[in-house]
Amino acid sequence: MPFGEQPAYLRVADDLRRKILDGTLPPHTRLPSQARIRTEYGVSDTVALEARKVLMAEGFVEGRSGSGTYVRERPEPRRIVRTGYRPGAGQSTPFRQEQGDEGFKGTWESTSVQDSATARIAERLGIRPGDRVMRTRYLFRSEGEPMMLSVSWEPMAVTGRTPVLLPEEGPVGGQGVVERMAALDLVVDNVSEDIGARPGLAEETSVLGGVPGHVVIEIQRTYYASGQPVETADIVIPAERYRVAYRMPVK
């Protein structure tokens, strides 16, 4: 079998990946054994093992104790639409607004606790490390399936001793950052989102489903009112199951 100039283990992994993607090796099929890979591709045991490791790290195959390595079923990615705040959306929740579909059936769970800002969070909020913040953890679900994690931080210097101290309680609880800050006469006029990818942590994948180390999308979002950060959040989405789509109005 002719190959290019890649290292042997990558060339073997490429060919096996192609067979998985074109259906020659369908989901739940056992991957060729190390001995068969060695014979079929004319490579050493070490090369065969490294090729299998590549496919496992990429999420194409999974090991089953005492049984071997099998092709994983890969779900068709669903879209998570991010549209931001839309004034005049009535009683629609921010979560449903972002999906751009009033028929979207999304729910969430949250817990809030007071905490001290780390250096990283303090920099994003424009406060000092150690300053008090309200930290809220969210788990978002779509039709019962976990789809997104979020941890948000709000400076207590802004929300402390006010009716909006707890994001999900009070007269505007659950209505989102824009409406809650408006209750404090703060007009949120800007939001930034930095998007990246990284391996998922074990605690994240145990909640969202998946395998620790598989790629997640991470969005670092910050809301501003006249240049002052009033909330920042880390949003985590499993990259294998979801794609993030942005709808941005042209003004």
Side-chain angles (χ1 to χ4, degrees):
M1 179 177 294
F3 287 120
E5 298 301 321
Q6 286 182 301
Y9 76 96
L10 290 181
R11 298 197 298 264
V12 174
D14 283 349
D15 195 63
L16 291 171
R17 187 189 307 106
R18 177 186 59 78
K19 291 179 178 179
I20 292 171
L21 292 173
D22 69 14
T24 303
L25 292 172
H28 310 297
T29 299
R30 186 173 180 177
L31 196 71
S33 67
Q34 190 165 313
R36 183 176 168 186
I37 292 174
R38 181 188 65 212
T39 301
E40 182 176 344
Y41 293 92
V43 295
S44 67
D45 279 334
T46 300
V47 168
L49 178 61
E50 290 301 313
R52 290 156 64 94
K53 286 182 178 179
V54 168
L55 295 175
M56 191 169 291
E58 293 175 343
F60 285 98
V61 301
E62 61 185 353
R64 299 180 186 175
S65 180
S67 179
T69 305
Y70 291 80
V71 177
R72 290 183 67 231
E73 186 167 3
R74 295 170 63 84
E76 184 67 26
R78 299 165 57 188
R79 291 200 311 162
I80 292 179
V81 179
R82 298 187 64 76
T83 59
Y85 177 75
R86 299 198 310 277
Q91 297 302 310
S92 175
T93 66
F95 184 32
R96 190 165 64 182
Q97 277 193 43
E98 286 196 341
Q99 301 313 301
D101 178 5
E102 289 299 312
F104 174 78
K105 294 180 174 59
T107 60
W108 67 89
E109 309 156 16
S110 67
T111 56
S112 295
V113 296
Q114 294 188 32
D115 201 356
S116 298
T118 64
R120 181 177 71 94
I121 296 304
E123 181 178 8
R124 284 163 55 176
L125 288 174
I127 59 179
R128 294 171 300 181
D131 282 358
R132 302 300 288 171
V133 293
M134 182 63 69
R135 187 188 75 225
T136 304
R137 297 183 182 274
Y138 292 90
L139 170 61
F140 295 92
R141 301 178 186 271
S142 172
E143 299 179 353
E145 177 186 86
M147 64 179 293
M148 185 165 62
L149 290 173
S150 175
V151 183
S152 71
W153 296 267
E154 295 179 349
M156 297 283 290
V158 173
T159 62
R161 300 182 183 275
T162 75
V164 304
L165 173 63
L166 296 171
E168 298 299 319
E169 297 181 22
V172 287
Q175 294 190 31
V177 176
V178 176
E179 297 292 347
R180 291 176 51 250
M181 294 303 153
L184 302 180
D185 295 324
L186 292 172
V187 178
V188 173
D189 52 15
N190 195 13
V191 58
S192 68
E193 292 195 346
D194 293 336
I195 306 170
R198 59 170 174 80
L201 304 178
E203 63 177 314
E204 295 167 340
T205 53
S206 69
V207 175
L208 292 171
V211 178
H214 283 186
V215 175
V216 296
I217 301 166
E218 182 179 59
I219 302 172
Q220 296 182 0
R221 180 195 67 202
T222 304
Y223 281 102
Y224 299 86
S226 300
Q228 175 188 3
V230 294
E231 189 250 28
T232 193
D234 288 342
I235 301 166
V236 175
I237 302 165
E240 185 178 61
R241 301 204 316 269
Y242 292 96
R243 295 289 181 267
V244 180
Y246 282 80
R247 296 178 180 172
M248 297 174 288
V250 177
K251 297 182 179 181

Coordinates of all heavy atoms in Angstrom, one line a residue, residues 163-245:
P163 N -31.3 43.7 45.2 CA -32.2 42.6 45.0 C -31.7 41.6 43.9 O -32.4 40.6 43.7 CB -33.5 43.4 44.5 CG -33.3 44.7 45.0 CD -31.8 45.0 45.0
V164 N -30.7 41.9 43.2 CA -30.2 41.0 42.1 C -28.9 40.3 42.5 O -28.2 39.7 41.7 CB -29.9 41.8 40.8 CG1 -31.2 42.6 40.4 CG2 -28.8 42.8 40.9
L165 N -28.7 40.2 43.8 CA -27.5 39.6 44.3 C -27.4 38.1 43.8 O -26.3 37.7 43.3 CB -27.5 39.6 45.8 CG -26.4 38.7 46.5 CD1 -25.0 39.3 46.2 CD2 -26.6 38.7 48.0
L166 N -28.5 37.4 43.8 CA -28.5 36.0 43.4 C -29.1 36.0 41.9 O -30.3 36.4 41.7 CB -29.4 35.1 44.3 CG -28.8 35.0 45.7 CD1 -29.8 34.3 46.6 CD2 -27.5 34.2 45.7
P167 N -28.4 35.5 41.0 CA -28.8 35.6 39.6 C -30.2 34.9 39.3 O -30.9 35.3 38.4 CB -27.7 34.9 38.8 CG -26.5 35.1 39.6 CD -27.0 35.0 41.0
E168 N -30.5 33.8 40.1 CA -31.7 33.1 39.8 C -32.8 33.3 40.8 O -33.8 32.6 40.8 CB -31.4 31.6 39.7 CG -30.5 31.2 38.6 CD -31.0 31.6 37.2 OE1 -32.2 31.4 36.9 OE2 -30.2 32.1 36.4
E169 N -32.7 34.3 41.6 CA -33.7 34.6 42.6 C -34.0 36.1 42.6 O -33.3 36.9 42.0 CB -33.2 34.2 44.0 CG -33.0 32.7 44.2 CD -32.6 32.3 45.6 OE1 -32.9 33.0 46.5 OE2 -32.0 31.2 45.7
G170 N -35.0 36.5 43.3 CA -35.4 37.9 43.4 C -36.3 38.4 42.3 O -36.8 37.6 41.5
P171 N -36.7 39.6 42.3 CA -37.7 40.1 41.3 C -37.4 40.0 39.9 O -38.3 39.9 39.0 CB -37.8 41.6 41.7 CG -36.5 42.0 42.4 CD -36.1 40.7 43.1
V172 N -36.1 39.9 39.5 CA -35.7 39.7 38.1 C -34.9 38.4 38.0 O -34.1 38.3 37.0 CB -35.0 40.9 37.5 CG1 -36.0 42.0 37.2 CG2 -33.9 41.4 38.4
G173 N -35.0 37.5 38.9 CA -34.2 36.3 38.9 C -34.5 35.5 37.6 O -35.6 35.4 37.2
G174 N -33.4 35.0 37.0 CA -33.6 34.1 35.8 C -33.8 34.9 34.5 O -33.9 34.3 33.5
Q175 N -33.8 36.2 34.6 CA -34.0 37.0 33.3 C -32.8 37.4 32.6 O -32.8 38.0 31.6 CB -34.9 38.2 33.7 CG -36.3 37.9 34.2 CD -37.1 39.1 34.3 OE1 -37.0 40.1 33.5 NE2 -38.1 39.1 35.2
G176 N -31.6 37.0 33.1 CA -30.4 37.3 32.4 C -29.7 38.5 32.9 O -30.2 39.4 33.6
V177 N -28.4 38.6 32.5 CA -27.6 39.7 33.0 C -28.1 41.1 32.6 O -28.1 42.0 33.4 CB -26.1 39.6 32.4 CG1 -25.3 40.7 32.8 CG2 -25.5 38.2 32.9
V178 N -28.6 41.2 31.3 CA -29.0 42.6 30.8 C -30.2 43.1 31.7 O -30.1 44.3 32.2 CB -29.4 42.5 29.4 CG1 -30.0 43.8 28.9 CG2 -28.3 42.1 28.5
E179 N -31.2 42.3 31.9 CA -32.4 42.8 32.7 C -32.0 43.0 34.1 O -32.5 43.9 34.8 CB -33.5 41.7 32.6 CG -34.0 41.5 31.2 CD -34.8 42.8 30.7 OE1 -35.1 43.7 31.5 OE2 -35.1 42.9 29.5
R180 N -31.2 42.1 34.7 CA -30.8 42.3 36.1 C -30.0 43.5 36.3 O -30.2 44.2 37.3 CB -30.1 41.0 36.6 CG -30.9 39.8 36.6 CD -30.2 38.5 37.0 NE -29.4 38.7 38.2 CZ -28.1 38.8 38.2 NH1 -27.4 38.6 37.1 NH2 -27.4 38.9 39.4
M181 N -29.0 43.8 35.4 CA -28.3 45.0 35.6 C -29.1 46.3 35.4 O -28.9 47.3 36.0 CB -27.0 45.0 34.7 CG -26.0 43.9 35.0 SD -25.4 44.0 36.7 CE -25.0 42.3 37.1
A182 N -30.1 46.2 34.5 CA -31.0 47.3 34.3 C -31.7 47.7 35.5 O -32.0 48.9 35.8 CB -32.0 47.0 33.1
A183 N -32.0 46.7 36.4 CA -32.7 47.0 37.7 C -31.8 47.8 38.6 O -32.3 48.4 39.5 CB -33.1 45.6 38.3
L184 N -30.5 47.8 38.3 CA -29.5 48.6 39.1 C -29.1 49.9 38.3 O -28.1 50.5 38.7 CB -28.2 47.8 39.4 CG -28.4 46.4 40.1 CD1 -27.1 45.8 40.3 CD2 -29.1 46.7 41.4
D185 N -29.9 50.2 37.3 CA -29.6 51.4 36.4 C -28.3 51.3 35.7 O -27.6 52.3 35.5 CB -29.7 52.7 37.2 CG -31.1 53.0 37.8 OD1 -32.0 52.6 37.0 OD2 -31.2 53.5 38.9
L186 N -27.9 50.0 35.4 CA -26.7 49.8 34.6 C -27.1 49.3 33.3 O -27.8 48.3 33.2 CB -25.7 48.8 35.3 CG -25.1 49.2 36.6 CD1 -24.4 48.1 37.3 CD2 -24.1 50.4 36.4
V187 N -26.7 50.0 32.2 CA -27.1 49.6 30.9 C -25.9 48.7 30.3 O -24.8 49.2 30.0 CB -27.3 50.8 30.0 CG1 -27.7 50.4 28.6 CG2 -28.4 51.7 30.6
V188 N -26.2 47.5 30.1 CA -25.2 46.6 29.4 C -25.2 46.9 27.9 O -26.2 46.8 27.2 CB -25.6 45.1 29.6 CG1 -24.7 44.2 28.8 CG2 -25.5 44.7 31.1
D189 N -24.1 47.4 27.4 CA -24.0 47.8 26.1 C -23.0 47.1 25.2 O -22.8 47.4 24.1 CB -23.7 49.3 26.0 CG -22.5 49.7 26.9 OD1 -21.7 48.8 27.2 OD2 -22.3 50.9 27.1
N190 N -22.3 46.1 25.8 CA -21.3 45.4 25.1 C -21.1 44.0 25.7 O -21.2 43.8 26.9 CB -20.0 46.1 25.1 CG -19.0 45.7 24.0 OD1 -19.4 44.9 23.1 ND2 -17.8 46.1 24.1
V191 N -20.8 43.0 24.8 CA -20.5 41.7 25.3 C -19.3 41.1 24.4 O -19.3 41.4 23.2 CB -21.7 40.7 25.3 CG1 -22.3 40.6 23.9 CG2 -21.3 39.4 25.8
S192 N -18.4 40.5 25.1 CA -17.3 39.9 24.3 C -17.3 38.4 24.6 O -17.6 38.0 25.7 CB -15.9 40.5 24.7 OG -15.6 40.1 26.0
E193 N -16.9 37.7 23.5 CA -16.8 36.2 23.7 C -15.5 35.7 23.0 O -15.3 36.0 21.8 CB -18.0 35.5 23.0 CG -19.3 35.7 23.8 CD -20.4 34.8 23.5 OE1 -20.3 34.1 22.4 OE2 -21.4 34.7 24.2
D194 N -14.6 35.1 23.8 CA -13.4 34.5 23.2 C -13.6 33.0 23.2 O -14.0 32.4 24.2 CB -12.2 34.8 24.2 CG -11.9 36.3 24.1 OD1 -12.2 37.0 23.2 OD2 -11.3 36.8 25.1
I195 N -13.4 32.4 22.0 CA -13.8 31.0 21.8 C -12.5 30.2 21.6 O -11.6 30.6 20.8 CB -14.7 30.9 20.6 CG1 -15.9 31.8 20.7 CG2 -15.1 29.4 20.4 CD1 -16.8 31.8 19.5
G196 N -12.4 29.1 22.2 CA -11.3 28.2 22.1 C -11.7 26.8 22.2 O -12.9 26.5 22.4
A197 N -10.7 25.9 22.2 CA -11.0 24.4 22.3 C -9.9 23.9 23.2 O -8.7 24.3 23.2 CB -11.0 23.7 21.0
R198 N -10.2 22.9 24.0 CA -9.3 22.3 24.9 C -9.8 20.9 25.3 O -11.0 20.5 25.1 CB -9.1 23.1 26.2 CG -10.4 23.3 27.0 CD -10.1 23.9 28.3 NE -11.3 24.3 29.1 CZ -12.0 23.5 29.8 NH1 -11.7 22.2 29.8 NH2 -13.1 23.9 30.4
P199 N -8.9 20.0 25.9 CA -9.4 18.7 26.4 C -10.4 18.9 27.5 O -10.2 19.8 28.4 CB -8.1 18.0 26.9 CG -7.0 18.7 26.2 CD -7.5 20.2 26.0
G200 N -11.5 18.2 27.5 CA -12.5 18.2 28.6 C -11.9 17.7 29.9 O -11.2 16.6 29.9
L201 N -12.2 18.3 31.0 CA -11.8 17.8 32.3 C -12.8 16.6 32.7 O -13.9 16.6 32.3 CB -11.9 18.9 33.4 CG -11.1 20.2 33.0 CD1 -11.3 21.2 34.1 CD2 -9.6 19.8 32.9
A202 N -12.3 15.8 33.6 CA -13.1 14.6 34.0 C -14.4 15.0 34.6 O -15.4 14.4 34.4 CB -12.3 13.8 35.0
E203 N -14.4 16.1 35.5 CA -15.6 16.5 36.1 C -16.6 17.1 35.1 O -17.8 17.0 35.3 CB -15.3 17.5 37.2 CG -14.7 18.8 36.8 CD -14.5 19.8 37.9 OE1 -15.4 20.0 38.7 OE2 -13.4 20.4 38.0
E204 N -16.1 17.7 34.0 CA -17.0 18.2 33.0 C -17.6 17.1 32.2 O -18.9 17.1 32.0 CB -16.2 19.2 32.1 CG -15.7 20.4 32.8 CD -14.7 21.2 32.0 OE1 -14.1 20.6 31.0 OE2 -14.5 22.4 32.3
T205 N -16.8 16.2 31.7 CA -17.3 15.1 30.9 C -18.2 14.1 31.7 O -19.1 13.5 31.1 CB -16.2 14.3 30.2 OG1 -15.3 13.9 31.2 CG2 -15.5 15.2 29.2
S206 N -18.0 14.0 33.0 CA -18.9 13.2 33.8 C -20.3 13.7 33.9 O -21.3 13.0 34.0 CB -18.3 13.0 35.2 OG -18.4 14.2 36.0
V207 N -20.4 15.0 33.8 CA -21.7 15.7 33.8 C -22.3 15.8 32.4 O -23.5 15.4 32.1 CB -21.7 17.1 34.4 CG1 -23.0 17.8 34.3 CG2 -21.2 17.0 35.8
L208 N -21.5 16.1 31.4 CA -22.0 16.3 30.0 C -22.0 15.0 29.2 O -22.6 15.0 28.2 CB -21.1 17.3 29.3 CG -21.1 18.8 29.8 CD1 -20.1 19.6 29.1 CD2 -22.5 19.4 29.5
G209 N -21.4 14.0 29.7 CA -21.2 12.8 28.9 C -20.0 12.9 28.0 O -19.6 13.9 27.7
G210 N -19.4 11.7 27.7 CA -18.3 11.7 26.9 C -17.1 11.1 27.6 O -17.2 10.6 28.7
V211 N -15.9 11.4 27.1 CA -14.7 10.8 27.6 C -13.7 11.9 28.0 O -13.5 12.8 27.3 CB -14.0 9.9 26.5 CG1 -12.7 9.3 27.0 CG2 -14.9 8.8 26.1
P212 N -13.2 11.8 29.3 CA -12.2 12.8 29.7 C -11.1 13.0 28.7 O -10.6 12.0 28.2 CB -11.7 12.3 31.0 CG -12.8 11.5 31.5 CD -13.4 10.8 30.3
G213 N -10.7 14.2 28.3 CA -9.7 14.4 27.4 C -10.2 14.7 26.0 O -9.5 15.3 25.1
H214 N -11.4 14.3 25.7 CA -12.0 14.7 24.4 C -12.3 16.2 24.3 O -12.5 16.8 25.3 CB -13.3 13.9 24.1 CG -13.0 12.5 23.7 ND1 -14.0 11.6 23.3 CD2 -11.9 11.7 23.7 CE1 -13.5 10.4 23.0 NE2 -12.2 10.5 23.2
V215 N -12.3 16.7 23.1 CA -12.3 18.2 23.0 C -13.6 18.8 23.4 O -14.7 18.2 23.1 CB -12.0 18.5 21.5 CG1 -12.1 20.0 21.3 CG2 -10.6 18.1 21.1
V216 N -13.5 19.9 24.1 CA -14.7 20.7 24.4 C -14.5 22.1 23.8 O -13.4 22.5 23.7 CB -15.0 20.8 25.9 CG1 -15.3 19.4 26.5 CG2 -13.8 21.4 26.7
I217 N -15.6 22.8 23.5 CA -15.5 24.2 23.1 C -15.7 25.0 24.4 O -16.5 24.8 25.2 CB -16.7 24.5 22.2 CG1 -16.6 23.6 20.9 CG2 -16.7 26.0 21.8 CD1 -17.9 23.7 20.1
E218 N -14.8 26.0 24.6 CA -14.9 26.9 25.7 C -15.1 28.3 25.2 O -14.3 28.8 24.4 CB -13.6 26.8 26.6 CG -13.7 27.6 27.8 CD -12.4 27.5 28.7 OE1 -11.3 27.8 28.1 OE2 -12.5 27.2 29.8
I219 N -16.1 28.9 25.8 CA -16.4 30.3 25.5 C -16.2 31.1 26.7 O -16.8 30.9 27.7 CB -17.8 30.5 24.9 CG1 -18.1 29.6 23.7 CG2 -18.1 32.0 24.6 CD1 -19.5 29.6 23.3
Q220 N -15.3 32.1 26.7 CA -15.1 33.0 27.8 C -15.9 34.3 27.4 O -15.5 35.1 26.5 CB -13.7 33.3 28.0 CG -12.9 32.1 28.4 CD -11.4 32.4 28.7 OE1 -11.0 33.5 28.6 NE2 -10.7 31.4 29.1
R221 N -17.0 34.5 28.2 CA -17.9 35.7 27.9 C -17.8 36.7 29.0 O -17.8 36.4 30.2 CB -19.3 35.1 27.8 CG -20.4 36.2 27.4 CD -21.8 35.7 27.7 NE -22.0 35.5 29.2 CZ -22.9 34.6 29.7 NH1 -23.7 33.9 28.9 NH2 -23.0 34.5 31.0
T222 N -17.9 38.0 28.6 CA -17.9 39.0 29.6 C -18.9 40.1 29.1 O -18.9 40.5 28.0 CB -16.5 39.7 29.8 OG1 -15.6 38.7 30.1 CG2 -16.6 40.8 30.9
Y223 N -19.8 40.5 30.0 CA -20.7 41.6 29.8 C -20.2 42.9 30.4 O -19.6 42.9 31.5 CB -22.1 41.3 30.5 CG -23.0 40.4 29.7 CD1 -23.1 39.0 30.1 CD2 -23.7 40.8 28.6 CE1 -23.9 38.2 29.5 CE2 -24.6 39.9 28.0 CZ -24.7 38.6 28.4 OH -25.5 37.7 27.7
Y224 N -20.4 44.0 29.6 CA -19.9 45.3 30.1 C -21.0 46.3 30.1 O -21.9 46.3 29.2 CB -18.8 45.8 29.1 CG -17.6 45.0 29.0 CD1 -17.6 43.9 28.1 CD2 -16.5 45.3 29.7 CE1 -16.4 43.1 28.0 CE2 -15.3 44.5 29.6 CZ -15.3 43.4 28.7 OH -14.2 42.6 28.6
A225 N -21.0 47.2 31.1 CA -21.8 48.4 31.1 C -21.0 49.6 31.2 O -20.3 49.9 32.1 CB -22.7 48.3 32.4
S226 N -21.0 50.4 30.1 CA -20.1 51.6 29.9 C -18.7 51.3 30.2 O -18.0 52.0 30.9 CB -20.6 52.7 30.8 OG -22.0 53.1 30.5
G227 N -18.2 50.1 29.7 CA -16.8 49.8 29.9 C -16.5 49.0 31.2 O -15.4 48.5 31.3
Q228 N -17.5 48.9 32.1 CA -17.2 48.2 33.3 C -17.7 46.8 33.2 O -18.9 46.5 32.9 CB -18.0 48.9 34.5 CG -18.0 48.2 35.8 CD -18.9 48.8 36.8 OE1 -19.6 49.7 36.6 NE2 -18.8 48.3 38.1
P229 N -16.9 45.8 33.5 CA -17.3 44.4 33.4 C -18.3 44.1 34.6 O -18.0 44.5 35.7 CB -16.0 43.6 33.6 CG -14.9 44.5 33.3 CD -15.4 45.9 33.7
V230 N -19.4 43.6 34.3 CA -20.4 43.3 35.3 C -20.7 41.8 35.5 O -21.3 41.4 36.5 CB -21.8 44.0 35.0 CG1 -21.6 45.5 35.1 CG2 -22.3 43.6 33.7
E231 N -20.2 41.0 34.6 CA -20.3 39.6 34.7 C -19.4 38.9 33.7 O -19.2 39.4 32.6 CB -21.8 39.1 34.3 CG -22.0 37.6 34.7 CD -22.2 36.7 33.4 OE1 -21.6 37.1 32.4 OE2 -22.9 35.7 33.5
T232 N -18.7 37.8 34.1 CA -17.9 37.1 33.2 C -18.2 35.6 33.4 O -18.6 35.2 34.5 CB -16.4 37.4 33.4 OG1 -15.7 36.8 32.3 CG2 -15.9 36.8 34.7
A233 N -18.1 34.8 32.4 CA -18.5 33.4 32.5 C -17.6 32.5 31.6 O -17.1 33.0 30.6 CB -19.9 33.2 32.1
D234 N -17.4 31.3 32.0 CA -16.8 30.2 31.2 C -17.9 29.2 30.8 O -18.5 28.7 31.7 CB -15.7 29.5 32.0 CG -14.4 30.3 32.2 OD1 -14.3 31.3 31.5 OD2 -13.7 30.0 33.1
I235 N -18.1 29.1 29.5 CA -19.1 28.2 29.0 C -18.4 27.0 28.3 O -17.5 27.2 27.5 CB -20.0 28.9 28.0 CG1 -20.7 30.1 28.7 CG2 -21.1 28.0 27.4 CD1 -21.3 31.1 27.8
V236 N -18.8 25.8 28.6 CA -18.2 24.6 28.1 C -19.3 23.7 27.4 O -20.3 23.4 27.9 CB -17.6 23.8 29.3 CG1 -17.0 22.4 28.7 CG2 -16.4 24.6 29.9
I237 N -18.9 23.3 26.1 CA -19.8 22.6 25.3 C -19.1 21.4 24.7 O -18.0 21.6 24.2 CB -20.4 23.5 24.1 CG1 -21.1 24.7 24.7 CG2 -21.3 22.7 23.2 CD1 -21.3 25.8 23.7
P238 N -19.6 20.2 24.7 CA -18.9 19.0 24.1 C -18.9 19.2 22.6 O -19.9 19.2 21.9 CB -19.8 17.8 24.5 CG -21.1 18.4 24.9 CD -20.9 19.8 25.4
A239 N -17.6 19.3 22.1 CA -17.4 19.5 20.6 C -17.9 18.4 19.8 O -18.3 18.6 18.6 CB -16.0 19.8 20.4
E240 N -17.9 17.2 20.3 CA -18.3 16.0 19.4 C -19.8 16.1 19.1 O -20.3 15.6 18.1 CB -18.0 14.7 20.1 CG -18.2 13.5 19.3 CD -17.8 12.2 19.9 OE1 -18.3 11.9 21.0 OE2 -16.9 11.5 19.4
R241 N -20.6 16.6 20.1 CA -22.1 16.6 19.9 C -22.7 17.9 19.5 O -23.8 17.9 19.0 CB -22.7 16.2 21.3 CG -22.2 14.8 21.8 CD -23.3 14.2 22.7 NE -23.8 15.1 23.7 CZ -23.4 15.3 24.9 NH1 -22.2 14.7 25.3 NH2 -24.0 16.1 25.8
Y242 N -21.9 19.0 19.6 CA -22.5 20.3 19.2 C -21.6 21.1 18.4 O -20.4 21.0 18.5 CB -22.9 21.0 20.5 CG -24.0 20.4 21.3 CD1 -23.8 19.5 22.3 CD2 -25.4 20.6 20.9 CE1 -24.8 18.9 23.0 CE2 -26.4 20.0 21.6 CZ -26.1 19.1 22.6 OH -27.1 18.5 23.3
R243 N -22.2 22.0 17.6 CA -21.5 23.0 16.9 C -22.1 24.4 17.3 O -23.3 24.5 17.5 CB -21.6 22.9 15.4 CG -21.0 21.6 14.8 CD -19.5 21.7 14.9 NE -18.8 20.5 14.3 CZ -18.4 19.5 15.1 NH1 -18.7 19.5 16.4 NH2 -17.8 18.5 14.5
V244 N -21.3 25.4 17.5 CA -21.7 26.7 17.9 C -21.9 27.6 16.7 O -21.0 27.8 15.9 CB -20.8 27.3 18.9 CG1 -21.3 28.7 19.3 CG2 -20.6 26.4 20.1
A245 N -23.2 28.1 16.5 CA -23.5 28.9 15.3 C -23.9 30.3 15.9 O -24.6 30.4 16.8 CB -24.6 28.3 14.5

